[in-house]
Amino acid sequence: MQILLTNDDGIHAPGLWALHHALAGHHAVTVVAPDRERSAVGHGITLHQPIRLESARVNGSAQGYAVSGTPADCVKLGLAELFDRRPDLVLSGINPGANVGVNVNYSGTVAAAKEAAIAGIPAIAVSIKAPGRDHLAAAARFAEGFSRQVMARGIPTGTFLNLNFPDLPMDEIRGVRWSRQGTDGVAQHFEKRRDPRDRTYYWQACDQQDGYAQTDVDGGALAGRFISVTPIKCDMTDYDTLRTLSEWEIPLSPDPEADR
């Protein structure tokens, strides 16, 4: 396959190159990643300043392209400028830290995969629960084999897969679980501080939600020592509510007396 590989942790991130190492022996891989960490930027794109695309060497040998923008920029620019034909697959990761539940909405890793799906290209976002490096290689090997299965069987246009690993050796993982995205909110925490000029500022904590009660959600699967795979659609329309709303009669000029 011809693969575009990206992430949100930057061109030098260990998870990116662990995935590259697993893929490069089997596929043509082009790395297009941010030139610095862009975690939690969501699906932002760069509009009001120029974007630079430069060749980069990692560890003296591995080559890729560093982009002075967001993960979504990397996919958009990579598709527009670096491929004679559209790649077969876009992979984003491996992110050090799970992207499950409401965090999916903030994740640059997930946004890169979503940008590819918007363009009609199959895509997978890959994350591992803890920020350690001990199990990156095994997760990358699994992701490579999983990618081949996905391409052989196919996924609907406009849908991408969110793949999350527990931070465990493969022989301690209980299996793969197809799961839905969790919707429970994460506890909000800001640390209030004072700067040297005695002005107040806030540092937002990265709280993780660990108390998942349901095993069919992404975070619950991880807590149960399963690999979680969640299909996510780019079309965010609530069709149940749309059907309900379509029964409403909304006049063009509402009567201001009606609610009195």
Side-chain angles (χ1 to χ4, degrees):
M1 291 185 288
Q2 187 160 310
I3 296 174
L4 188 161
L5 176 60
T6 189
N7 71 352
D8 73 353
D9 294 298
I11 189 74
H12 298 284
L16 178 78
W17 293 101
L19 199 48
H20 179 272
H21 182 75
L23 294 167
H26 308 277
H27 313 284
V29 184
T30 302
V31 174
V32 190
D35 61 1
R36 69 201 77 173
E37 184 171 345
R38 297 284 187 175
S39 296
V41 299
H43 207 118
I45 58 175
T46 303
L47 293 178
H48 301 294
Q49 61 189 46
I51 304 174
R52 302 194 184 278
L53 173 73
E54 299 181 346
S55 296
R57 295 180 66 84
V58 178
N59 297 326
S61 58
Q63 294 185 340
Y65 295 92
V67 175
S68 63
T70 68
D73 288 332
C74 291
V75 174
K76 292 170 75 73
L77 189 59
L79 294 178
E81 295 294 325
L82 297 177
F83 290 88
D84 295 329
R85 65 175 180 85
R86 289 157 64 89
D88 301 298
L89 177 69
V90 172
L91 280 169
S92 180
I94 299 173
N95 189 73
N99 278 307
V100 295
V102 296
N103 287 335
V104 167
N105 298 291
Y106 308 121
S107 167
T109 303
V110 173
K114 186 176 183 179
E115 183 62 42
I118 289 171
I121 299 171
I124 305 171
V126 187
S127 305
I128 192 166
K129 186 174 182 180
R133 303 185 185 185
D134 292 345
H135 307 120
L136 283 176
R141 288 192 296 270
F142 177 93
E144 190 279 323
F146 178 74
S147 298
R148 285 188 276 112
Q149 293 184 59
V150 168
M151 295 304 296
R153 301 185 183 193
I155 53 176
T157 300
T159 294
F160 65 97
L161 300 179
N162 187 29
L163 175 64
N164 281 274
F165 291 87
D167 187 32
L168 295 169
M170 291 302 292
D171 59 3
E172 294 182 21
I173 294 175
R174 297 171 63 187
V176 178
R177 177 159 286 173
W178 299 98
S179 52
R180 61 183 175 87
Q181 180 189 343
T183 56
D184 292 342
V186 176
Q188 299 294 324
H189 173 66
F190 291 85
E191 185 172 331
K192 185 176 181 179
R193 300 180 182 179
R194 307 290 292 183
D195 69 15
R197 295 177 182 266
D198 201 34
R199 296 174 300 185
T200 301
Y201 70 97
Y202 298 88
W203 197 276
Q204 184 169 188
C206 298
D207 293 334
Q208 296 289 332
Q209 182 178 350
D210 296 320
Y212 291 92
Q214 297 169 298
T215 58
D216 65 330
V217 301
D218 45 17
L222 281 185
R225 295 189 290 123
F226 287 92
I227 295 170
S228 167
V229 187
T230 304
I232 299 177
K233 294 179 66 173
C234 296
D235 180 355
M236 296 185 288
T237 306
D238 182 342
Y239 286 97
D240 290 336
T241 301
L242 179 61
R243 282 189 288 271
T244 299
L245 295 178
S246 66
E247 299 174 0
W248 292 14
E249 293 185 8
I250 308 295
L252 291 177
S253 300
D255 181 359
E257 302 295 325
D259 294 330
R260 293 185 180 179

